[in-house]
Amino acid sequence: MKRVLPLLLVAAFVLSCQDNQPAPTSPTLGAPQTAISDGANGGNQHFYWLPELVESPTYTGTFNPDLPATINLCELDVVSGPDPFCMETPTVLFGPADVTVSIENEQYSAVWHTGDDTLTSGDFYRLSVSIGARELGYRDLNPLANPPSPIDKAAPFYAFKNENTINIKF
């Protein structure tokens, strides 16, 4: 018994010193924590993404057609931790002069030819809308060579065919 106790203590010490955190590539970590932020998803109650990036949301309020909206894009770092972040300063995809306003449809829009930008299939990106320095909302994107069909618009990221055209509406 005297010999067993020291061996048990040594084994307990060795086991307690091991790092039990999963490796970053471990399958137990699951998918990257991508997100969508708008009034329908816990974000700004005055901003809503519209189809094709999402399903049709239910919203109320008064449309303001006079906002100088800017649409931005950045590549996300989804490996460093549970909350993805932009790896660099977002680039402006469309400045206020490039965003179309439809008073009749109560929406802002822009047509994005994703092939005009260098997107890497399989990487994650964040599309955001800002008024000046204030971000109104964002939608995480995942360009793929062969996206699933049909595309799940309720997923935390919007998967689409890389080098395609997307109608951005909000």
Side-chain angles (χ1 to χ4, degrees):
M1 184 71 166
K2 290 181 180 179
R3 291 184 186 167
V4 173
L5 186 57
L7 287 175
L8 288 175
L9 289 174
V10 169
F13 177 77
V14 169
L15 289 174
S16 70
C17 291
Q18 291 182 352
D19 185 7
N20 291 325
Q21 297 297 320
T25 57
S26 169
T28 61
L29 286 178
Q33 299 298 308
T34 53
I36 177 172
S37 178
D38 68 356
N41 294 281
N44 185 335
Q45 292 299 308
H46 302 285
F47 176 84
Y48 291 85
W49 290 106
L50 300 173
E52 80 191 62
L53 292 176
V54 297
E55 297 291 338
S56 291
T58 301
Y59 57 92
T60 60
T62 304
F63 179 69
N64 183 347
D66 301 318
L67 300 174
T70 302
I71 302 172
N72 308 294
L73 181 74
C74 70
E75 186 174 355
L76 289 177
D77 178 341
V78 294
V79 179
S80 295
D83 298 318
F85 58 90
C86 288
M87 292 195 295
E88 73 280 335
T89 302
T91 57
V92 174
L93 279 180
F94 302 98
D98 305 316
V99 177
T100 303
V101 178
S102 172
I103 296 172
E104 180 181 309
N105 295 323
E106 296 187 343
Q107 69 184 21
Y108 290 78
S109 64
V111 177
W112 180 28
H113 304 287
T114 64
D116 295 345
D117 297 291
T118 306
L119 303 179
T120 303
S121 288
D123 283 356
F124 288 86
Y125 297 85
R126 178 160 288 171
L127 186 69
S128 62
V129 173
S130 300
I131 303 296
R134 182 175 182 190
E135 182 179 82
L136 300 179
Y138 57 84
R139 181 75 165 117
D140 290 349
L141 310 171
N142 184 219
L144 299 170
N146 297 303
S149 181
I151 293 172
D152 182 4
K153 295 179 182 182
F157 61 88
Y158 179 73
F160 64 95
K161 181 160 180 51
N162 199 3
E163 299 185 13
N164 204 359
T165 298
I166 296 177
N167 294 306
I168 301 169
K169 298 178 185 175
F170 52 95

